[in-house]
Protein backbone atom coordinates (compact mmCIF):
# COMPACT_ATOMS: atom_id res chain seq x y z
CA UNK A 1 0.00 0.00 0.00
CA UNK A 2 1.44 3.36 -0.99
CA UNK A 3 1.61 6.18 1.53
CA UNK A 4 -1.71 8.01 1.75
CA UNK A 5 -1.62 11.58 0.47
CA UNK A 6 -3.63 12.80 3.49
CA UNK A 7 -0.82 12.34 6.02
CA UNK A 8 -2.20 9.19 7.65
CA UNK A 9 0.58 7.35 9.51
CA UNK A 10 2.04 3.90 9.02
CA UNK A 11 0.77 1.79 11.94
CA UNK A 12 2.83 -1.23 13.01
CA UNK A 13 1.21 -3.66 15.45
CA UNK A 14 2.72 -6.28 17.66
CA UNK A 15 0.37 -9.28 17.69
CA UNK A 16 0.30 -11.17 21.01
CA UNK A 17 -1.36 -9.16 23.80
CA UNK A 18 -1.80 -6.27 21.36
CA UNK A 19 -4.12 -7.51 18.62
CA UNK A 20 -5.13 -10.71 20.42
CA UNK A 21 -5.44 -10.64 24.20
CA UNK A 22 -3.18 -13.63 24.82
CA UNK A 23 0.18 -15.11 24.02
CA UNK A 24 -0.74 -17.20 20.97
CA UNK A 25 1.94 -19.84 21.65
CA UNK A 26 0.71 -20.40 25.19
CA UNK A 27 -2.91 -20.27 24.01
CA UNK A 28 -2.39 -23.19 21.59
CA UNK A 29 -0.28 -25.21 24.01
CA UNK A 30 -2.84 -24.80 26.81
CA UNK A 31 -5.79 -25.53 24.49
CA UNK A 32 -4.19 -28.78 23.32
CA UNK A 33 -3.33 -29.93 26.84
CA UNK A 34 0.45 -29.64 26.58
CA UNK A 35 1.21 -26.93 29.15
CA UNK A 36 3.36 -29.04 31.45
CA UNK A 37 5.40 -30.50 28.61
CA UNK A 38 6.00 -27.07 27.08
CA UNK A 39 7.26 -25.80 30.43
CA UNK A 40 9.71 -28.72 30.50
CA UNK A 41 10.97 -27.91 27.00
CA UNK A 42 11.53 -24.28 27.97
CA UNK A 43 13.95 -25.38 30.68
CA UNK A 44 16.55 -26.34 28.09
CA UNK A 45 15.50 -24.78 24.77
CA UNK A 46 15.09 -21.18 23.58
CA UNK A 47 11.42 -20.26 23.20
CA UNK A 48 11.33 -20.41 19.39
CA UNK A 49 12.96 -23.85 19.34
CA UNK A 50 10.71 -25.04 22.17
CA UNK A 51 7.48 -24.13 20.39
CA UNK A 52 8.70 -25.89 17.23
CA UNK A 53 9.58 -29.00 19.25
CA UNK A 54 6.19 -28.81 20.96
CA UNK A 55 4.42 -28.79 17.60
CA UNK A 56 6.41 -31.92 16.67
CA UNK A 57 5.37 -33.73 19.83
CA UNK A 58 1.73 -32.76 19.36
CA UNK A 59 1.89 -34.09 15.80
CA UNK A 60 3.33 -37.39 17.03
CA UNK A 61 0.39 -37.63 19.45
CA UNK A 62 -2.08 -37.29 16.60
CA UNK A 63 -2.86 -33.58 16.80
CA UNK A 64 -3.36 -32.07 13.34
CA UNK A 65 -2.83 -28.65 11.80
CA UNK A 66 -6.61 -28.29 11.80
CA UNK A 67 -6.66 -28.92 15.57
CA UNK A 68 -4.20 -26.05 15.94
CA UNK A 69 -6.30 -23.82 13.68
CA UNK A 70 -9.37 -24.66 15.73
CA UNK A 71 -7.71 -23.52 18.94
CA UNK A 72 -6.50 -20.31 17.30
CA UNK A 73 -10.00 -19.44 16.10
CA UNK A 74 -11.05 -19.27 19.76
CA UNK A 75 -8.25 -16.86 20.76
CA UNK A 76 -9.64 -13.67 22.37
CA UNK A 77 -9.78 -10.65 20.07
CA UNK A 78 -11.57 -7.51 21.23
CA UNK A 79 -14.18 -5.88 18.98
CA UNK A 80 -12.48 -2.56 19.81
CA UNK A 81 -9.31 -3.81 18.11
CA UNK A 82 -11.31 -4.86 15.04
CA UNK A 83 -12.96 -1.43 14.94
CA UNK A 84 -9.61 0.36 15.31
CA UNK A 85 -8.01 -1.66 12.50
CA UNK A 86 -10.89 -1.07 10.12
CA UNK A 87 -11.21 2.63 10.95
CA UNK A 88 -7.47 3.35 10.70
CA UNK A 89 -7.40 1.59 7.32
CA UNK A 90 -10.44 3.55 6.11
CA UNK A 91 -8.70 6.79 7.11
CA UNK A 92 -5.75 5.94 4.86
CA UNK A 93 -3.30 4.25 7.23
CA UNK A 94 -1.03 1.50 6.02
CA UNK A 95 -1.07 -1.30 8.62
CA UNK A 96 1.67 -3.86 9.27
CA UNK A 97 2.37 -6.56 11.86
CA UNK A 98 5.75 -7.04 13.56
CA UNK A 99 5.48 -10.06 15.84
CA UNK A 100 7.51 -12.75 17.58
CA UNK A 101 4.59 -15.16 17.14
CA UNK A 102 4.63 -17.07 13.84
CA UNK A 103 3.06 -16.82 10.41
CA UNK A 104 0.72 -19.81 10.85
CA UNK A 105 -0.81 -18.44 14.07
CA UNK A 106 -1.05 -14.85 12.86
CA UNK A 107 -2.49 -15.73 9.45
CA UNK A 108 -5.05 -18.14 10.93
CA UNK A 109 -6.41 -15.59 13.39
CA UNK A 110 -6.50 -12.69 10.93
CA UNK A 111 -8.25 -14.83 8.30
CA UNK A 112 -10.81 -16.10 10.82
CA UNK A 113 -11.80 -12.54 11.72
CA UNK A 114 -11.70 -11.22 8.15
CA UNK A 115 -8.76 -8.91 8.86
CA UNK A 116 -6.01 -10.27 6.60
CA UNK A 117 -6.61 -7.82 3.76
CA UNK A 118 -6.24 -4.79 6.04
CA UNK A 119 -2.50 -5.46 6.50
CA UNK A 120 0.10 -4.78 3.83
CA UNK A 121 2.70 -7.08 5.37
CA UNK A 122 3.71 -9.23 8.34
CA UNK A 123 7.19 -9.72 9.77
CA UNK A 124 7.17 -12.75 12.06
CA UNK A 125 8.77 -16.16 12.53
CA UNK A 126 8.14 -18.26 9.40
CA UNK A 127 5.99 -21.37 9.70
CA UNK A 128 4.58 -24.02 7.40
CA UNK A 129 2.88 -27.40 7.49
CA UNK A 130 5.26 -30.00 6.04
CA UNK A 131 4.41 -32.97 3.83
CA UNK A 132 3.73 -35.13 6.90
CA UNK A 133 1.23 -32.61 8.25
CA UNK A 134 3.50 -31.37 11.04
CA UNK A 135 3.65 -27.63 11.75
CA UNK A 136 7.21 -26.34 11.54
CA UNK A 137 8.17 -23.00 13.12
CA UNK A 138 11.51 -21.39 12.34
CA UNK A 139 13.27 -18.31 13.74
CA UNK A 140 12.97 -15.01 11.89
CA UNK A 141 16.72 -14.54 12.39
CA UNK A 142 18.49 -17.90 12.29
CA UNK A 143 20.81 -18.44 15.26
CA UNK A 144 23.00 -21.17 16.68
CA UNK A 145 26.18 -22.90 15.59
CA UNK A 146 25.53 -22.45 11.88
CA UNK A 147 24.18 -18.89 12.02
CA UNK A 148 25.32 -15.63 13.57
CA UNK A 149 21.88 -14.39 14.63
CA UNK A 150 20.69 -10.81 14.40
CA UNK A 151 23.71 -9.25 16.13
CA UNK A 152 21.74 -6.89 18.38
CA UNK A 153 23.32 -6.43 21.79
CA UNK A 154 20.14 -5.22 23.52
CA UNK A 155 19.30 -7.85 26.16
CA UNK A 156 15.56 -7.42 25.65
CA UNK A 157 15.74 -8.95 22.15
CA UNK A 158 15.31 -12.75 21.99
CA UNK A 159 17.87 -14.66 19.91
CA UNK A 160 15.39 -15.51 17.15
CA UNK A 161 14.15 -12.01 16.38
CA UNK A 162 15.34 -8.44 16.76
CA UNK A 163 12.33 -6.29 15.99
CA UNK A 164 14.60 -3.26 16.02
CA UNK A 165 16.42 -4.56 12.92
CA UNK A 166 13.08 -4.92 11.17
CA UNK A 167 11.99 -1.45 12.24
CA UNK A 168 15.24 0.00 10.90
CA UNK A 169 14.43 -1.53 7.51
CA UNK A 170 10.88 -0.16 7.61
CA UNK A 171 12.14 3.34 8.47
CA UNK A 172 14.69 3.25 5.67
CA UNK A 173 11.91 2.36 3.25
CA UNK A 174 9.82 5.23 4.61
CA UNK A 175 12.70 7.69 4.23
CA UNK A 176 13.29 6.55 0.66
CA UNK A 177 9.61 6.95 -0.19
CA UNK A 178 9.56 10.42 1.36
CA UNK A 179 12.68 11.45 -0.56
CA UNK A 180 11.12 10.26 -3.83
CA UNK A 181 7.92 12.16 -3.06
CA UNK A 182 9.86 15.31 -2.18
CA UNK A 183 11.72 15.10 -5.46
CA UNK A 184 8.40 15.18 -7.31
CA UNK A 185 7.02 17.91 -5.01
CA UNK A 186 4.29 15.59 -3.71
CA UNK A 187 5.26 15.68 -0.04
CA UNK A 188 7.38 17.64 2.44
CA UNK A 189 8.09 15.00 5.11
CA UNK A 190 7.80 11.29 5.66
CA UNK A 191 4.65 10.04 7.30
CA UNK A 192 4.73 9.26 11.00
CA UNK A 193 5.17 5.68 12.20
CA UNK A 194 3.08 4.40 15.12
CA UNK A 195 4.23 1.24 16.93
CA UNK A 196 1.97 -0.65 19.36
CA UNK A 197 3.35 -3.33 21.66
CA UNK A 198 3.58 -4.73 25.15
CA UNK A 199 6.62 -6.92 25.73
CA UNK A 200 10.37 -6.72 26.24
CA UNK A 201 10.98 -7.50 22.57
CA UNK A 202 9.00 -4.39 21.64
CA UNK A 203 11.51 -2.08 23.31
CA UNK A 204 14.19 -2.26 20.60
CA UNK A 205 11.86 -1.16 17.74
CA UNK A 206 10.55 1.61 19.98
CA UNK A 207 14.09 2.96 20.35
CA UNK A 208 14.48 3.08 16.55
CA UNK A 209 11.56 5.51 16.18
CA UNK A 210 12.32 9.20 15.88
CA UNK A 211 10.81 12.52 16.76
CA UNK A 212 7.46 12.79 15.02
CA UNK A 213 6.78 9.06 15.49
CA UNK A 214 4.73 7.42 18.25
CA UNK A 215 5.05 4.37 20.46
CA UNK A 216 1.97 2.97 22.20
CA UNK A 217 2.96 0.68 25.11
CA UNK A 218 0.33 -1.37 26.92
CA UNK A 219 0.07 -0.27 30.56
CA UNK A 220 1.14 -2.80 33.17
CA UNK A 221 3.36 -4.73 30.74
CA UNK A 222 7.18 -4.84 30.37
CA UNK A 223 7.43 -2.35 27.50
CA UNK A 224 5.77 0.32 29.60
CA UNK A 225 8.32 -0.17 32.40
CA UNK A 226 11.27 -0.14 30.00
CA UNK A 227 10.08 3.07 28.37
CA UNK A 228 9.53 4.69 31.76
CA UNK A 229 13.14 3.90 32.70
CA UNK A 230 14.64 5.06 29.39
CA UNK A 231 12.22 6.77 26.97
CA UNK A 232 12.64 6.69 23.18
CA UNK A 233 12.74 9.76 20.92
CA UNK A 234 9.20 9.03 19.76
CA UNK A 235 6.16 10.42 21.57
CA UNK A 236 4.77 7.92 24.09
CA UNK A 237 1.02 7.32 24.15
CA UNK A 238 0.10 4.51 26.52
CA UNK A 239 -3.09 2.44 26.56
CA UNK A 240 -4.68 0.42 29.34
CA UNK A 241 -7.32 -1.66 27.54
CA UNK A 242 -8.58 -2.29 24.05
CA UNK A 243 -11.17 0.47 24.02
CA UNK A 244 -8.34 2.75 25.13
CA UNK A 245 -6.10 1.37 22.36
CA UNK A 246 -8.71 2.34 19.77
CA UNK A 247 -9.22 5.79 21.24
CA UNK A 248 -5.50 6.61 21.48
CA UNK A 249 -4.60 5.19 18.06
CA UNK A 250 -7.40 6.93 16.20
CA UNK A 251 -6.61 10.17 18.02
CA UNK A 252 -3.04 9.96 16.69
CA UNK A 253 -4.32 9.21 13.19
CA UNK A 254 -6.70 12.17 13.27
CA UNK A 255 -3.93 14.42 14.58
CA UNK A 256 -1.50 13.41 11.83
CA UNK A 257 -4.10 13.92 9.12
CA UNK A 258 -4.94 17.33 10.59
CA UNK A 259 -1.26 18.29 10.73
CA UNK A 260 -0.73 17.32 7.10
CA UNK A 261 -3.79 19.32 6.06
CA UNK A 262 -2.55 22.34 8.03
CA UNK A 263 0.91 22.13 6.43
CA UNK A 264 -0.58 21.88 2.96
CA UNK A 265 -2.93 24.76 3.69
CA UNK A 266 -0.10 26.89 5.03
CA UNK A 267 1.88 26.26 1.86
CA UNK A 268 -1.08 27.44 -0.17
CA UNK A 269 -1.86 30.35 2.16
CA UNK A 270 -5.07 28.71 3.38
CA UNK A 271 -6.12 28.19 7.00
CA UNK A 272 -7.36 24.63 7.46
CA UNK A 273 -9.45 23.64 10.49
CA UNK A 274 -9.95 19.92 11.05
CA UNK A 275 -12.42 18.99 13.81
CA UNK A 276 -11.33 16.56 16.51
CA UNK A 277 -12.84 13.10 16.58
CA UNK A 278 -16.12 13.29 18.46
CA UNK A 279 -17.97 10.08 17.73
CA UNK A 280 -17.76 7.24 20.21
CA UNK A 281 -16.43 3.94 18.97
CA UNK A 282 -19.32 1.54 18.54
CA UNK A 283 -17.67 -1.71 17.48
CA UNK A 284 -19.68 -4.66 16.31
CA UNK A 285 -19.41 -7.76 18.45
CA UNK A 286 -16.86 -10.30 17.28
CA UNK A 287 -18.25 -13.82 17.39
CA UNK A 288 -15.74 -16.40 18.60
CA UNK A 289 -17.12 -19.93 18.15
CA UNK A 290 -17.08 -22.36 21.04
Amino acid sequence: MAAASNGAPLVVFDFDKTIVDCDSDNWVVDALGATRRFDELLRHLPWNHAIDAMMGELHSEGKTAEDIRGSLRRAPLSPHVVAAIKTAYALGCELRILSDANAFFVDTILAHHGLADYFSGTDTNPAHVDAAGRLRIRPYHEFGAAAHGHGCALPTCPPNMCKGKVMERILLQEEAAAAAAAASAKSRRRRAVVYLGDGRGDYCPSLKLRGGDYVMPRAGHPLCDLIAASPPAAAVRGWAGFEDLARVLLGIVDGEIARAAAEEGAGAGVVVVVPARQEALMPQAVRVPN
Side-chain angles (χ1 to χ4, degrees):
M1 178 179 178
S5 59
N6 66 346
L10 167 63
V11 183
V12 184
F13 291 84
D14 176 36
F15 191 74
D16 291 346
K17 300 183 182 178
T18 301
I19 289 180
V20 291
D21 194 17
C22 66
D23 179 290
S24 56
D25 287 349
N26 284 328
W27 178 269
V28 169
V29 168
D30 294 348
L32 298 182
T35 306
R36 181 175 296 180
R37 177 55 182 153
F38 188 49
D39 289 343
E40 291 172 354
L41 289 171
L42 286 172
R43 293 192 186 111
H44 61 88
L45 289 174
W47 186 287
N48 181 262
H49 290 178
I51 191 64
D52 177 63
M54 189 73 258
M55 295 302 103
E57 293 192 13
L58 288 169
H59 178 257
S60 69
E61 294 168 5
K63 296 294 192 297
T64 66
E66 188 54 37
D67 292 328
I68 297 170
R69 288 190 186 96
S71 68
L72 289 165
R73 293 177 186 127
R74 297 189 292 273
L77 194 157
S78 168
H80 293 290
V81 173
V82 175
I85 288 169
K86 292 182 176 180
T87 303
Y89 182 88
L91 289 170
C93 294
E94 180 181 358
L95 310 179
R96 295 187 60 88
I97 290 173
L98 175 52
S99 169
D100 193 16
N102 67 78
F104 185 90
F105 291 6
V106 171
D107 292 348
T108 298
I109 291 172
L110 292 182
H112 177 62
H113 292 283
L115 297 174
D117 290 343
Y118 290 91
F119 293 90
S120 65
T122 298
D123 289 285
T124 189
N125 297 297
H128 72 280
V129 179
D130 67 17
R134 183 245 209 253
L135 177 60
R136 300 305 309 253
I137 300 170
R138 303 300 305 158
Y140 186 88
H141 293 117
E142 291 288 350
F143 67 98
H148 297 295
H150 50 64
C152 179
L154 202 66
T156 53
C157 289
N160 63 289
M161 187 178 203
C162 172
K163 291 186 179 182
K165 298 286 186 182
V166 182
M167 184 61 77
E168 284 179 338
R169 189 197 74 220
I170 291 171
L171 292 173
L172 283 173
Q173 292 169 344
E174 290 297 301
E175 294 288 354
S184 60
K186 292 182 179 178
S187 178
R188 298 185 178 191
R189 60 179 176 89
R190 77 160 170 84
R191 60 182 169 176
V193 175
V194 184
Y195 183 69
L196 299 86
D198 70 285
R200 286 170 54 82
D202 297 312
Y203 185 53
C204 192
S206 300
L207 293 178
K208 305 300 181 183
L209 299 175
R210 302 164 191 170
D213 296 326
Y214 302 84
V215 58
M216 289 180 54
R218 185 174 183 179
H221 288 70
L223 177 60
C224 204
D225 296 333
L226 289 163
I227 283 176
S230 184
V236 179
R237 302 285 186 269
W239 56 280
F242 293 108
E243 185 173 6
D244 202 26
L245 178 154
R247 178 187 61 80
V248 174
L249 175 59
L250 296 179
I252 292 171
V253 173
D254 283 343
E256 285 301 306
I257 292 172
R259 185 171 75 153
E263 289 178 355
E264 184 176 352
V270 177
V271 177
V272 178
V273 178
V274 180
R277 175 173 297 273
Q278 297 294 331
E279 70 273 19
L281 286 170
M282 298 293 290
Q284 299 297 311
V286 174
R287 180 178 178 274
V288 179
N290 294 324

